């Protein structure tokens, strides 16, 4: 049960506390933010609504803690991360239970998210000691006009305080994918979890607390992003922002100061299916990619661009699989569970109704009960429909029939997004040409888009992001290069 056993100290009555300076405390605001259970649509948990004054204090504490953490040997930082990873994995059950209640993630997937997060933290510790243990040595006479009179040593130093803001759909995994690289690189953390998902994140933070990190190094403030978000992201004490979410990220990047930004934003991931594709493989991946976690994934297949000559056969194969998807509560491990909120369900419904008015073919009847939307494949979608471009973040998948590969590539590239894409074909040469032409951060050949394994680079082009993630890239992004130049006297002798 949430907030029980070793997690008892993170609660005060029925409200979860926030975490600062190694302690769980109540906000002086006296206010709590409710967390709605997407399935019951009733308040499941409450978290503290932190004040601006509390954020100021947290920033000061994080700044002080970072100074000594930066001097802590790398191997010691790694040791603590390994410890936190083990505690996190050991307590995957209660954390997963929070995910089920807060974000309606199917039970098995919730456990997988926590275990994967533990693995990410361990990998990060190992990768960190390797890549941060290395520097560069340059000599001056490689540049014209210079003698061999200067030696340049480079190393990587931390940035300072990293502000980490993950989204609701992978609150634990996308929190640790920011926390672990920041910590191994010698930074401190101010974490602002998504409101839906905050309680799972607070449990995860407690695992780091139990691992024994220095006080003040990891801090977690709670509250609605719409209320404290701007104050946090524009705070002068922040030295780097690592954000994952939707359009909010574009607004943040316009307001943030002169600090490194890591932005993982939305996507309209296109799946191009060519005439020579293995259609069973394509159908299986389109259904898994489009409907896992009810389509609430940045890397979900969000539009299938299918060659007209094979479209009837492929659509039938997709529909056969959609018919087998189970629909219901996350506790039952249903494939399709309620979407995160009523406003999200309304938004999805708006896209569906727009497609209906404009003549899309409904392969299933549209059905919704509360936040639960039954999986829906829309065939014969045209570019004048909103669903051809917008991210539904729900279990609705549009199929656009195309007459040439170029038409598919042009549709993909006309999007403001550029996260991932995929192509199905048996011809590797064609696949490589399509991959080269698609303006997305990653292209998967013969598989649905996906994040991970977590050490693979992961990045979005255009409105899909800034910077590249993945463990190694995140560690590098959260450091700066520092150089020390040793100036030698001019040689007073000649060789030879
Ligand atoms: P969101 O609404 O943008 O929220 C993301 C985070 O930002 C939440 O923690 C939210 O807190 C916070 N926030 C809200 N307003 C803020 C503000 N003014 N300043 C600072 N923070 C603020 O996104 P979401 O609905 O949680 O997640 C879905 C989106 O994330 C989709 O677009 C999806 O594609 C994208 N996503 C991208 C990736 C990727 O790697 N590219 C991965 C996963 C998801 P509150 O919850 O308190 O509002």
């Amino acid at each position: 049960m949430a907030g029980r056993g070793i997690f008892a100290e993170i609660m005060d009555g029925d409200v979860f506390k926030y975490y600062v300076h190694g302690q769980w405390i109540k906000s002086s605001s006296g206010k709590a933010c409710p967390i709605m259970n997407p399935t019951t649509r009733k308040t499941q948990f409450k978290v503290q609504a932190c004040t601006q004054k509390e954020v100021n204090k947290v920033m000061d504490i994080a700044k002080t803690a970072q100074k000594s953490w930066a001097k802590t040997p790398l191997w010691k930082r790694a040791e603590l991360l390994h410890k936190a990873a083990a505690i996190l994995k050991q307590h995957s059950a209660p954390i997963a239970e929070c995910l089920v209640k807060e974000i309606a993630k199917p039970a098995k997937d919730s456990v997988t998210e926590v275990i994967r997060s533990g693995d990410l933290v361990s990998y990060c510790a190992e990768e960190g000691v390797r890549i941060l243990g290395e520097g560069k040595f340059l000599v001056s006479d490689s540049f014209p006009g210079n003698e061999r009179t200067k030696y340049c040593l480079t190393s990587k130093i931390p940035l300072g305080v990293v502000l980490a803001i993950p989204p609701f759909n992978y609150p634990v995994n996308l929190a640790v994918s920011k926390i672990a690289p920041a910590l191994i690189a010698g930074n401190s953390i101010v974490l602002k979890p998504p409101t839906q998902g905050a309680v799972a994140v607070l449990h995860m933070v407690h695992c780091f607390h139990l691992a024994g990190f220095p006080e003040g190094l990891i801090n977690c403030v709670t509250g609605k992003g719409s209320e404290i978000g701007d104050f946090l992201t524009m705070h002068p004490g922040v030295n780097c922002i690592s954000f994952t979410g939707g359009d909010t990220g574009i607004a943040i990047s316009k307001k943030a100061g002169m600090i490194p930004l890591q932005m993982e934003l939305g996507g309209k991931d296109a799946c191009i299916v060519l005439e020579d594709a293995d259609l069973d493989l394509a159908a299986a991946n389109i259904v898994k990619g489009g409907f896992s976690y009810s389509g609430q994934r940045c890397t979900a297949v969000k539009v299938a661009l299918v060659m007209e000559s094979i479209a009837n056969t492929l659509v039938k194969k997709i529909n056969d699989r959609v018919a087998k998807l189970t629909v219901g509560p996350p506790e039952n491990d249903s494939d399709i569970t309620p979407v995160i909120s009523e406003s999200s369900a309304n938004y999805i419904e708006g896209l569906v109704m727009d497609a209906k008015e404009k003549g899309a073919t409904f392969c299933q009847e549209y059905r919704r009960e509360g936040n639960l939307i039954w999986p829906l494949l829309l065939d014969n979608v045209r570019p004048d429909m909103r669903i051809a471009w917008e991210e539904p973040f729900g279990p609705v998948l549009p199929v656009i029939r195309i007459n040439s590969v170029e038409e598919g590539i042009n549709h993909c590239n006309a999007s403001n997004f550029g996260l991932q894409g995929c192509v199905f074909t048996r011809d590797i040469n064609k696949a490589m040409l399509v991959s080269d032409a698609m303006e997305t951060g990653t292209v998967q050949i013969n598989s649905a888009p996906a994040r991970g394994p977590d050490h693979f680079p992961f990045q979005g082009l255009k409105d899909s992001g800034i910077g590249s993630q993945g463990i190694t890239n995140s560690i590098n992004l959260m450091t700066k290069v520092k150089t020390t130049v040793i100036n030698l006297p001019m040689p007073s002798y000649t060789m030879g």
Side-chain angles (χ1 to χ4, degrees), residues 166 168 192 194-195 225 229 243-246 248 264-266 298 391 451 458:
F168 82 83
K192 202 310 266 174
T195 300
F243 175 91
T244 310
T248 321
E264 314 178 330
L265 310 182
C298 58
E391 189 185 29
R451 190 192 168 97
F458 181 77

Side-chain angles (χ1 to χ4, degrees), residues 313-349:
T313 316
L314 181 65
V315 165
K316 183 175 178 324
K317 284 179 188 289
I318 296 173
N319 276 324
D320 290 347
R321 288 174 183 271
V322 169
K324 291 189 188 130
L325 295 174
T326 55
V327 181
E331 288 83 355
N332 293 0
D333 238 348
S334 309
D335 297 315
I336 304 294
T337 56
V339 297
I340 192 69
S341 64
E342 191 176 345
S343 64
S344 176
N346 291 344
Y347 177 75
I348 297 162
E349 187 164 297

Side-chain angles (χ1 to χ4, degrees), residues 165-169 174 192-196 223-226 229-230 233 243-248 252 264-267 298 302 391 393 419 451 458 464:
I165 307 184
F168 82 83
N169 62 342
L174 290 174
K192 202 310 266 174
T195 300
Q196 297 291 141
K224 281 194 189 308
S226 54
D230 283 354
T233 53
F243 175 91
T244 310
D247 289 350
T248 321
I252 292 172
E264 314 178 330
L265 310 182
C298 58
K302 294 194 185 113
E391 189 185 29
F393 234 58
L419 190 58
R451 190 192 168 97
F458 181 77
S464 289

Side-chain angles (χ1 to χ4, degrees), residues 229-300:
D230 283 354
F231 192 74
L232 278 162
T233 53
M234 294 195 283
H235 200 286
V238 172
N239 304 111
C240 168
I241 302 176
S242 178
F243 175 91
T244 310
D247 289 350
T248 321
I250 297 175
I252 292 172
S253 62
K254 288 181 182 149
K255 289 183 237 169
M258 214 179 74
I259 52 172
L261 300 178
Q262 186 178 43
M263 291 280 157
E264 314 178 330
L265 310 182
K268 184 71 185 170
D269 302 21
C271 171
I272 301 180
V273 187
L274 304 189
E275 281 158 325
D276 66 346
D278 176 338
L279 297 187
D280 288 306
L281 181 72
N285 275 276
I286 288 171
V287 173
K288 187 166 182 284
F291 295 100
S292 293
Y293 187 34
S294 309
Q296 297 173 112
R297 296 164 54 244
C298 58
T299 53

Side-chain angles (χ1 to χ4, degrees), residues 272 274 276 405 409 422-440 442-446:
I272 301 180
L274 304 189
D276 66 346
V405 186
I409 291 168
C422 64
V423 54
F424 284 86
T425 171
R426 287 188 167 95
D427 183 338
I428 187 64
N429 294 329
K430 274 193 206 158
M432 290 308 294
L433 290 171
V434 172
S435 169
D436 204 34
M438 285 173 92
E439 291 168 5
T440 58
T442 301
V443 174
Q444 304 268 350
I445 296 172
N446 291 326

